[in-house]
Amino acid sequence: MNIALVTCESLTQYAAPTVEDEDSLLTRYLREQGHQVAPRVWTNPAVDWAGYDKVVVKSPWDYFDRVDDFYAWLDRMDATGIELLNPSSIIRWNADKKYLCDLEQAGIPIVPTHWLPKGSAVVIDELFDKLGSDQLVVKPAVSGGAKNTFTLTRLETAERLPQLTELVQHEDFLVQPFQPQIQTEGEWSLIYLGGQFSHCVLKTPKSGDFRVQHYLGGGIEPREAPAHLRQAADRIIDQFAQGCLYARVDGVDADGQFLLMELELIEPFLYLASSEGALARYEQALQQ
């Protein structure tokens, strides 16, 4: 196959010396299997997307900085009949974390979430009480890479409220109770390829942090998926990731219940190097 891997102009800020660049790893493997593979920047107007058998949305890790341009690019792909992996309809839905409302309405347990629409007033004291926590996590509704994501305690309210108020003037935000399991156990990621479970990792933050991304010092440990987490993730994939080449289900184990943090269907790091056979499973899913 002739495959385009959709990426962005620079991946440097998401690199870590302890983790191999996944785009390079995947490209090398697929070429070894006889495929033609080329990284292509989604913002480059000169790319002839129609010249590829498969257009895989792999690492457009700047889309949340220019989301209107990204949506316009998806519109152009649709208008010219170019099919994306994952499908453009799912990418649009998954780009805004309000998709969590759909999962919650379907009975999927999610981390409790309060939404702060763009331009709304921020009454942070009420949020501590409403969410039943003395520590909150704040993040944009359209975001990635832990951009503008931070924790907030009651004692920090006076200091941090002006920052949050300013941020909410420009875009929608969400607020969730901090999940202590992130620091005591870690965050689970279950990866699916072609709709089938592939592998699982447990991600842990560096000491004193809550962000688990490896380029922020977080750790990655391959683990066997606990049965109850696997069952919960399977249900999510069956209901919300039909027709997807890849999917990543992120969450915490809260006293035996899987609480979904995010369902990643756009451009997640898939930890392909952490599981023997994952690259082969990726190629197999590509050929479905």
Side-chain angles (χ1 to χ4, degrees), residues 7-17 21 59 61 214-216:
T7 187
C8 57
E9 293 180 0
S10 175
L11 301 176
T12 303
Q13 70 188 93
Y14 301 107
D21 173 61
S59 53
W61 290 342
H214 59 274
Y215 48 85
L216 297 175

Side-chain angles (χ1 to χ4, degrees), residues 100-148:
L100 289 169
C101 296
D102 294 335
L103 279 88
E104 186 176 31
Q105 290 172 6
I108 304 297
I110 70 169
V111 174
T113 302
H114 180 84
W115 302 93
L116 295 174
K118 177 182 175 181
S120 63
V122 180
V123 186
I124 199 69
D125 289 335
E126 293 182 2
L127 293 180
F128 285 107
D129 295 335
K130 182 174 182 177
L131 293 171
S133 177
D134 291 327
Q135 185 174 14
L136 304 177
V137 175
V138 180
K139 65 179 73 171
V142 178
S143 67
K147 176 187 176 183
N148 287 337

Side-chain angles (χ1 to χ4, degrees), residues 224-238:
E224 183 176 346
H228 65 292
L229 303 188
R230 168 72 185 279
Q231 183 179 19
D234 284 352
R235 177 189 173 193
I236 293 169
I237 296 300
D238 290 344

Side-chain angles (χ1 to χ4, degrees), residues 93 112 122 171 185 204 209 266 270:
W93 173 76
V122 180
E171 58 183 320
E185 179 183 20
T204 53
D209 205 338
I266 297 182
L270 297 172

Side-chain angles (χ1 to χ4, degrees), residues 59-261:
S59 53
W61 290 342
D62 58 355
Y63 84 88
F64 42 84
D65 292 323
R66 46 195 309 182
V67 69
D68 289 338
D69 291 339
F70 187 64
Y71 288 151
W73 177 73
L74 293 176
D75 289 342
R76 290 194 295 274
M77 295 295 103
D78 289 345
T80 52
I82 295 172
E83 296 183 4
L84 301 177
L85 295 172
N86 286 341
S88 59
S89 59
I90 286 181
I91 289 175
R92 283 191 189 87
W93 173 76
N94 195 235
D96 191 316
K97 291 180 175 57
K98 292 189 187 72
Y99 72 80
L100 289 169
C101 296
D102 294 335
L103 279 88
E104 186 176 31
Q105 290 172 6
I108 304 297
I110 70 169
V111 174
T113 302
H114 180 84
W115 302 93
L116 295 174
K118 177 182 175 181
S120 63
V122 180
V123 186
I124 199 69
D125 289 335
E126 293 182 2
L127 293 180
F128 285 107
D129 295 335
K130 182 174 182 177
L131 293 171
S133 177
D134 291 327
Q135 185 174 14
L136 304 177
V137 175
V138 180
K139 65 179 73 171
V142 178
S143 67
K147 176 187 176 183
N148 287 337
T149 297
F150 55 92
T151 60
L152 181 67
T153 66
R154 289 184 187 268
L155 294 176
E156 296 170 325
T157 297
E159 176 186 355
R160 304 297 293 274
L161 184 57
Q163 175 192 10
L164 178 55
T165 300
E166 173 62 22
L167 288 170
V168 173
Q169 300 314 301
H170 301 285
E171 58 183 320
D172 297 339
F173 269 74
L174 62 90
V175 183
Q176 298 173 322
F178 177 73
Q179 301 300 303
Q181 302 94 326
I182 293 290
Q183 293 179 324
T184 59
E185 179 183 20
E187 176 183 317
W188 293 90
S189 284
L190 290 83
I191 294 89
Y192 290 74
L193 299 172
Q196 302 297 314
F197 175 75
S198 173
H199 56 285
C200 174
V201 299
L202 183 64
K203 302 176 295 186
T204 53
K206 68 180 181 182
S207 178
D209 205 338
F210 71 101
R211 299 166 300 176
V212 296
Q213 289 86 349
H214 59 274
Y215 48 85
L216 297 175
I220 303 167
E221 181 184 352
R223 295 285 289 271
E224 183 176 346
H228 65 292
L229 303 188
R230 168 72 185 279
Q231 183 179 19
D234 284 352
R235 177 189 173 193
I236 293 169
I237 296 300
D238 290 344
Q239 288 187 251
F240 293 97
Q242 292 295 317
C244 288
L245 168 65
Y246 55 77
R248 198 183 84 200
V249 183
D250 293 344
V252 294
D253 188 352
D255 298 322
Q257 181 186 51
F258 184 72
L259 283 184
L260 178 73
M261 298 185 70

Side-chain angles (χ1 to χ4, degrees), residues 260-272:
L260 178 73
M261 298 185 70
E262 293 198 29
L263 172 61
E264 298 275 12
L265 301 176
I266 297 182
E267 34 58 75
F269 198 87
L270 297 172
Y271 309 103
L272 296 174

